[in-house]
Amino acid sequence: MSWGGMAAAQNALPSGQPLVLWEVVWERVEGAGTQAVFRFIAPQIARDGGTVDADAAFTDLDWLCTTHAIPVARLPAARADTVVVTLMDRPVARGTTDAAATQYFGVYTIENGECSPSDF
């Protein structure tokens, strides 16, 4: 998978919204293995002026897990047991809050090569 293909992948997003891959972070989670966090800037989810509602954003999260996170999580050097996919309307530093920002999170367990939504 090439991250250079992200622009082409945007057209395939269920909502059709444009995205920018902001960062990918691997974290050790005590008792749960390795977690890969994929963070995307998605301006169209903004409360003010956005065109993508929560239902569409969550559909996009599922799609991004399947199409982007799973291929990376399968790589031997980047293996992950769980995946977090984040959409944010503006950059927000990981672990901080921004009351003006809109963010959606999807947490997934990788089971049999598929994204299985998890409660967090």
Side-chain angles (χ1 to χ4, degrees), residues 22-106:
W22 186 251
E23 67 182 344
V24 179
V25 179
W26 280 263
E27 302 171 331
R28 297 290 290 153
V29 178
E30 190 171 329
T34 303
Q35 172 175 278
V37 181
F38 293 77
R39 303 181 76 222
F40 295 89
I41 304 296
Q44 293 305 313
I45 65 169
R47 288 184 292 263
D48 297 324
T51 59
V52 175
D53 65 15
D55 289 339
F58 281 106
T59 299
D60 285 350
L61 289 172
D62 292 345
W63 187 89
L64 287 164
C65 184
T66 299
T67 61
H68 289 68
I70 289 290
V72 172
R74 286 181 177 163
L75 296 172
R79 194 181 87 56
D81 303 299
T82 59
V83 170
V84 177
V85 181
T86 303
L87 296 179
M88 51 191 168
D89 69 335
R90 66 193 77 188
V92 177
R94 180 124 171 91
T96 66
T97 60
D98 179 344
T102 300
Q103 297 185 75
Y104 295 106
F105 303 90

Side-chain angles (χ1 to χ4, degrees), residues 1-12:
M1 184 181 91
S2 166
W3 289 112
M6 180 59 69
Q10 290 173 180
N11 295 332

